[in-house]
Amino acid sequence: MAVSAQRLKLQGIVKDYPGCRANDGVDLTVGAGEIHALLGENGAGKSTLMKIIYGVVQPDAGRIVWNGHPVTVENPARARQLGIGMVFQHFSLFETLTVAENIALGLPADEVRDRGALEQRIREVSEHYGMALDPRRFVSTLSMGERQRVEIVRCLVQESTLLILDEPTSVLTPQEVATLFKTLRKLARDGCSILFISHKLEEVRSLCDQATVLRQGRVSGHCQPKDLSASDIARLMVGDDTPIATQVSAAQPGDTLLQVQELSWQTDDPFGTSLKNIGFSLRAGEIVGIAGVAGNGQEELLKVLSGEITLKGEAIRFTGEAIDRLPPGARRARGLAVVPEERLGRGAVPVMSLADNALLTAAGQGLVRRGVIRRQRVREFARDVISCFGVRCSGEQSSASSLSGGNLQKYILGREACQSPRLLVASHPTWGVDVGSAVAIHQALVKLRDEGAAILLISEDLDELYQLCHRMGAICNGRLSPLAPASELSINQLGQWMAGNFEVEELADAAA
Amino acid sequence: MLQLERRPEASTTLRWLSPLLALALTVATGFLLFLGMGKDPIQALTFFFITPISDLTGLAELGLKTAPLLLCAAGLTVCFRARIWNIGAEGHFLIGAVAASAVAVSVGEAGGFLVLPAVLLAGIAGGMAWAAIAAFLKTHLNCNEILTTIMLNYIALNLLLYAVHGPLKDPYGFGFPQSVMFADAALLPALINGTRLHIGLAFGLLAAVAVWVLFARSFIGYQLNVVGEDHRAAAFAGFSARRLTWFALLVGGATAGLAGAAEVTGPIGQLVPQVSPGYGYTAIIVVFLGRMHALGIIAASALLALTFIGGEMLQIAMNMPKAVTAMFQGMLLFYLLTCDAFIHYRIRFRRPLPAGLSQPAAPAGQEL
């Protein structure tokens, strides 16, 4: 490729953080009009590299060459001045302002004096790239997909020639993803370079021209993703020693364990989601999945099931008994285990040792007698979990916060699994977890299922859901779609459900 | 531009050394302070720290002042471990003293071995009742316990004043606001004959041991720790924050109430308005200085008790103001908190952005 066509070139980028080298001599070249994927597991150094390009952090060594000229990107303002735009995973928009006002905030003062001209420009840009946006709407009224458009349009109005997108599809329904990709391809044809950060390999294969794979801070390979299979790319990401998928046998469902009917709950949190008329059932020996974009009531549903929120009625029946009023401890005693979404700060107390964290939910396993902690038994229990689930740590006395996300997640799941629950509710069990740990977690869930437990899997990862679940549905704005057998549920239909269109209800009910 | 930046790893050794470092800095600042006042600093520090404990009587006095501090601190440790910021030990203490005195006065000259337990139990019950108000306000009306307990301290003080000016006033006391002297049956036995040291110190040590057992062995102690460290994990585990709040505050009220009862039945022998020189407040410093640990609060209680006696000694021997005690207590807490801050954070110098570059205009979240 000719030098002039190289939009961005990184050479030997090094960034040290206390205790770890986040980037270790990373080279990356993005051509003009190229859609370039940056792949890697959590902790591989993708975020750090992006922050260096966008000027959020400074590299300790290495060169950044922009359109053939070496540059120093001191801060994000400088990055924007150069033409580098970034769309973060967590949007940075003011909900109480309009689309135009949000975009105006990122522009020099003299460009925003004429509000009418700005609105006109926003309309032009958004329509040109097929991302219809009304500049006068308040951000609080926009869907996640529309908010992402605002972020992208903001970069385009700033005349960015390199657009960095950090996990852009994680908040979108499959339909929204398709629209986004159309837009990105059009952008690339017009000469804009795109750096696409993801760990969803199929998306990368369908969208990107080139890919750079990071592993433990180093570049572990370059490839043209269209020419490789997803599992080949996964190999590049995780190395040769890690299994990358679980073989899941068919489920053998038994009796109904959990029956939820007309479950409604009104939140008093202005950013929370109320649950509306939720109903489903769960049988022993099956995994039921609930898909959905984050913030649509998953967290509330989990809390209602775990007992962190108690209810008045008789909407939740577990082995025939209404458990709405029972606190978490009583539900746990009946065999209902929960793995929450937040590992540190809910599933485990960060400063406490793994042994002490075992007591958090496993006190009923003979670890406490007449109010006195049996330290020896606690240590044995923790050691059992650590060895059964291959938790990498220096022992049961190491603090929860010292473990990597994947290892802590294995420990928390193991803590629940070792208590032989009859029902396990797991929320995003592999979120932010390395591939090796994710496989181990999937295997543990399937093993638990085969031992006769019912499992409710709440996840945003559709691949995971399709791989593990016997039946699945989606939650949107606090309402649950009907559940359908995973083998008969098309991704299209699931996407409709994730977006809240449950019209095909009767049809799907018949199928279930 | 100065910035506080979190250290990647806080040193465990320094965490335990920081109370000693704070003490050293306090002594050093005291040295400069005395020098500035034109007093001989060596002599003043000797009077403050050494002279009070150089004979048996002095040590007994130290034990006498340690007892109420240790009792209050033991209860506060239970609260603070659960991050329930009970500032109300002073109020519990005063109500405990009033309740104990009410029983002691009403029993009068009647003897019997049940009198003293009844008096002490009245003190405990009084302290618990006072703490229960704050517990109710927190668990049922979601009132911040820091504010309610501080306000309740003032109400308690006024109740004490009412008691000594009204119902509990000695009718033959020449109008002084104080109760009659208690009968012997209502007084605590001495621990060392010939000194004022009474068995209140034993109560304090027992309370410290109880705190140690609570947090080292019991499940409820573990639950208190979890609530303190991470209330969301506690909610997830199903530990009832409401129940634990009641438990912690009632324990705090009981020990401080007992301390108040032991003060009126011990060295004072009657109810007087100035029954506490601020033991309940000083106990807060004790708990932090003692690292919320049983052994730590024993040592810290003795040290803070010394500041009371040392302050008196300086008033008498070198004609210094009473504020010296408060100064030293304040410096200790200040230096301790400062040392703790630097264990977890370090100072970084940051150059301001070069001229000509505009500040980033995007929402602040982006720069993180």
Side-chain angles (χ1 to χ4, degrees):
Chain A
M1 207 175 279
V3 175
S4 59
Q6 284 182 359
R7 178 116 330 132
L8 174 76
K9 191 176 168 78
L10 302 182
Q11 288 173 322
I13 296 289
V14 176
K15 177 69 192 175
D16 281 310
Y17 284 118
C20 85
R21 175 162 279 203
N23 286 157
D24 189 2
V26 173
D27 297 327
L28 175 76
T29 307
V30 182
E34 176 183 303
I35 303 182
H36 194 109
L38 188 59
L39 285 164
E41 290 197 79
N42 287 68
K46 292 175 299 186
S47 308
T48 306
L49 195 63
M50 284 173 335
K51 285 181 185 165
I52 287 171
I53 301 171
Y54 196 56
V56 180
V57 297
Q58 299 304 314
D60 295 326
R63 249 160 52 104
I64 302 176
V65 181
W66 178 250
N67 288 329
H69 305 287
V71 290
T72 316
V73 189
E74 295 95 347
N75 53 38
R78 173 76 179 136
R80 286 194 290 271
Q81 204 182 326
L82 289 169
I84 301 173
M86 173 135 185
V87 176
F88 285 85
Q89 196 175 357
H90 302 284
F91 303 143
S92 40
L93 295 171
F94 291 101
E95 299 206 357
T96 51
L97 299 182
T98 64
V99 171
E101 285 165 342
N102 266 290
I103 290 173
L105 279 171
L107 294 171
D110 49 328
E111 285 185 40
V112 297
R113 289 235 168 73
D114 185 354
R115 191 62 60 87
L118 178 65
E119 285 177 5
Q120 187 54 37
R121 216 163 119 208
I122 293 171
R123 272 201 199 88
E124 278 169 20
V125 169
S126 59
E127 272 160 32
H128 180 70
Y129 291 106
M131 303 183 287
L133 266 185
D134 178 354
R136 298 206 175 167
R137 265 180 74 185
F138 283 96
V139 167
S140 56
T141 66
L142 301 181
S143 73
M144 283 319 223
E146 288 169 316
R147 289 178 197 207
Q148 187 174 60
R149 290 176 187 180
V150 179
E151 292 266 6
I152 296 173
V153 169
R154 170 154 73 188
C155 296
L156 299 180
V157 168
Q158 290 163 358
E159 285 161 7
S160 300
T161 48
L162 172 68
L163 196 57
I164 308 175
L165 298 160
D166 182 13
E167 305 266 351
T169 60
S170 60
V171 294
L172 303 182
T173 64
Q175 282 81 0
E176 286 175 317
V177 170
T179 318
L180 171 70
F181 283 6
K182 230 178 268 171
T183 301
L184 294 182
R185 288 195 188 99
K186 189 164 168 56
L187 271 168
R189 275 200 300 279
D190 290 356
C192 181
S193 304
I194 291 163
L195 193 54
F196 185 86
I197 288 104
S198 180
H199 59 245
K200 296 185 183 170
L201 303 179
E202 289 303 335
E203 288 176 359
V204 168
R205 287 190 62 230
S206 76
L207 180 72
C208 301
D209 311 314
Q210 295 285 334
T212 299
V213 186
L214 290 183
R215 184 163 79 227
Q216 288 162 10
R218 292 161 183 269
V219 174
S220 62
H222 294 281
C223 64
Q224 298 190 337
K226 285 178 180 113
D227 301 343
L228 288 181
S229 72
S231 65
D232 291 338
I233 304 175
R235 269 286 158 247
L236 283 174
M237 281 167 63
V238 302
D240 291 331
D241 325 319
T242 319
I244 46 180
T246 324
Q247 293 305 315
V248 180
S249 55
Q252 307 284 332
D255 300 332
T256 299
L257 269 183
L258 179 73
Q259 182 81 44
V260 177
Q261 275 173 325
E262 295 175 16
L263 168 66
S264 294
W265 176 75
Q266 186 68 36
T267 181
D268 53 6
D269 176 355
F271 301 105
T273 308
S274 295
L275 300 176
K276 297 160 200 125
N277 200 15
I278 284 182
F280 65 94
S281 66
L282 196 52
R283 285 182 287 173
E286 73 169 346
I287 302 179
V288 165
I290 295 182
V293 174
N296 270 297
Q298 290 95 328
E299 207 176 310
E300 290 81 2
L301 178 61
L302 185 84
K303 284 188 173 171
V304 164
L305 291 176
S306 74
E308 286 163 89
I309 297 172
T310 50
L311 301 175
K312 292 254 152 40
E314 295 196 338
I316 309 169
R317 289 189 171 273
F318 181 53
T319 60
E321 177 197 13
I323 57 167
D324 301 56
R325 292 157 199 269
L326 295 181
R331 297 190 194 195
R332 198 170 291 124
R334 283 162 173 74
L336 194 161
V338 176
V339 175
E341 181 178 343
E342 303 96 333
R343 289 182 276 271
L344 280 175
R346 187 150 153 225
V349 183
V351 295
M352 286 190 174
S353 68
L354 293 180
D356 278 350
N357 269 302
L359 267 178
L360 203 58
T361 65
Q365 304 291 312
L367 306 185
V368 173
R369 187 174 51 189
R370 280 192 227 104
V372 177
I373 299 169
R374 300 159 97 176
R375 293 275 171 206
Q376 187 58 36
R377 291 208 174 194
V378 172
R379 280 196 293 271
E380 281 165 13
F381 181 87
R383 276 201 290 265
D384 284 349
V385 173
I386 289 168
S387 65
C388 289
F389 286 81
V391 179
R392 265 178 288 169
C393 63
S394 51
E396 77 275 6
Q397 294 305 335
S398 35
S399 71
S401 58
S402 70
L403 267 65
S404 73
N407 275 305
L408 184 59
Q409 186 71 336
K410 281 195 278 185
Y411 183 78
I412 291 172
L413 183 71
R415 179 181 71 193
E416 305 306 326
C418 281
Q419 303 179 51
S420 317
R422 304 185 66 184
L423 166 64
L424 178 78
V425 184
S427 177
H428 304 95
T430 57
W431 182 80
V433 159
D434 57 284
V435 173
S437 296
V439 170
I441 287 164
H442 288 164
Q443 283 166 347
L445 290 175
V446 172
K447 180 159 172 277
L448 210 55
R449 178 201 76 178
D450 291 342
E451 290 164 2
I455 294 171
L456 184 68
L457 180 61
I458 301 171
S459 179
E460 281 173 62
D461 186 338
L462 300 187
D463 296 338
E464 173 175 271
L465 289 169
Y466 271 107
Q467 193 189 351
L468 296 181
C469 293
H470 178 235
R471 291 184 297 147
M472 57 203 269
I475 190 167
C476 179
N477 196 22
R479 300 196 309 134
L480 183 69
S481 76
L483 301 181
S487 53
E488 297 165 23
L489 180 62
S490 72
I491 185 121
N492 216 356
Q493 176 69 73
L494 186 64
Q496 292 287 340
W497 285 353
M498 285 166 72
N501 306 324
F502 302 160
E503 284 98 65
V504 277
E505 228 156 291
E506 291 79 38
L507 209 154
D509 267 348
Chain B
M1 211 161 42
L2 283 176
Q3 263 193 341
L4 273 183
E5 184 184 80
R6 204 171 176 87
R7 288 177 196 272
E9 195 116 5
S11 154
T12 324
T13 327
L14 274 180
R15 217 180 86 80
W16 286 99
L17 279 180
S18 101
L20 297 178
L21 196 60
L23 178 60
L25 286 165
T26 304
V27 170
T29 315
F31 186 93
L32 295 175
L33 194 75
F34 292 136
L35 204 64
M37 291 167 73
K39 311 274 182 183
D40 177 356
I42 301 288
Q43 194 194 11
L45 287 173
T46 315
F47 272 126
F48 195 90
F49 286 109
I50 312 288
T51 318
I53 49 169
S54 48
D55 59 9
L56 181 67
T57 317
L59 282 171
E61 286 296 309
L62 184 74
L64 191 72
K65 296 264 191 296
T66 304
L69 285 177
L70 187 49
L71 272 170
C72 291
L76 290 184
T77 302
V78 176
C79 297
F80 290 178
R81 282 270 193 127
R83 305 255 165 108
I84 295 163
W85 303 118
N86 173 15
I87 314 296
E90 183 75 6
H92 311 155
F93 181 98
L94 297 179
I95 295 296
V98 170
S101 301
V103 173
V105 167
S106 61
V107 167
E109 289 301 316
F113 63 93
L114 283 176
V115 172
L116 186 59
V119 168
L120 295 179
L121 282 175
I124 293 175
M128 287 172 81
W130 210 243
I133 301 174
F136 176 83
L137 289 172
K138 182 171 173 66
T139 56
H140 286 78
L141 302 172
N142 208 17
C143 296
N144 183 308
E145 73 278 11
I146 301 178
L147 300 178
T148 57
T149 51
I150 290 179
M151 291 193 280
L152 282 166
N153 286 346
Y154 291 104
I155 301 172
L157 181 60
N158 282 293
L159 275 177
L160 165 68
L161 293 176
Y162 167 73
V164 292
H165 282 102
L168 294 182
K169 186 171 168 181
D170 179 1
Y172 307 106
F174 307 103
F176 282 107
Q178 56 192 33
S179 75
V180 295
M181 294 299 292
F182 300 162
D184 284 349
L187 294 181
L188 287 177
L191 208 56
I192 304 175
N193 280 326
T195 68
R196 299 205 297 159
L197 185 61
H198 56 81
I199 60 167
L201 183 61
F203 294 157
L205 292 172
L206 277 176
V209 171
V211 163
W212 182 79
V213 172
L214 181 74
F215 286 108
R217 290 271 174 269
S218 82
F219 191 49
I220 192 156
Y222 170 79
Q223 297 186 14
L224 288 164
N225 273 337
V226 172
V227 164
E229 290 294 349
D230 196 330
H231 66 275
R232 291 194 315 154
F236 168 69
F239 303 157
S240 162
R242 181 177 283 204
R243 205 167 50 88
L244 292 168
T245 303
W246 275 94
F247 176 83
L249 281 169
L250 288 181
V251 169
T255 60
L258 177 61
E263 202 62 13
V264 289
T265 57
I268 307 179
Q270 66 183 139
L271 186 65
V272 295
Q274 58 281 9
V275 59
S276 164
Y279 288 134
Y281 293 116
T282 307
I284 298 169
I285 307 178
V286 169
V287 178
F288 282 103
L289 202 62
R291 286 279 170 262
M292 301 195 200
H293 190 278
L295 278 180
I297 60 170
I298 293 174
S301 298
L303 179 63
L304 269 299
L306 186 58
T307 63
F308 281 115
I309 307 173
E312 281 172 19
M313 193 64 83
L314 283 181
Q315 287 178 53
I316 298 165
M318 297 184 75
N319 204 15
M320 286 205 209
K322 191 176 166 223
V324 170
T325 300
M327 277 290 305
F328 270 82
Q329 293 183 355
M331 284 195 291
L332 257 180
L333 185 61
F334 171 78
Y335 280 126
L336 180 75
L337 295 178
T338 313
C339 290
D340 283 355
F342 283 116
I343 291 172
H344 293 288
Y345 295 88
R346 62 184 167 210
I347 288 187
R348 266 292 184 88
F349 295 91
R350 272 249 191 142
R351 277 178 301 117
L353 287 173
L357 270 171
S358 60
Q359 288 286 336
Q366 281 203 354
E367 266 63 58
L368 290 176

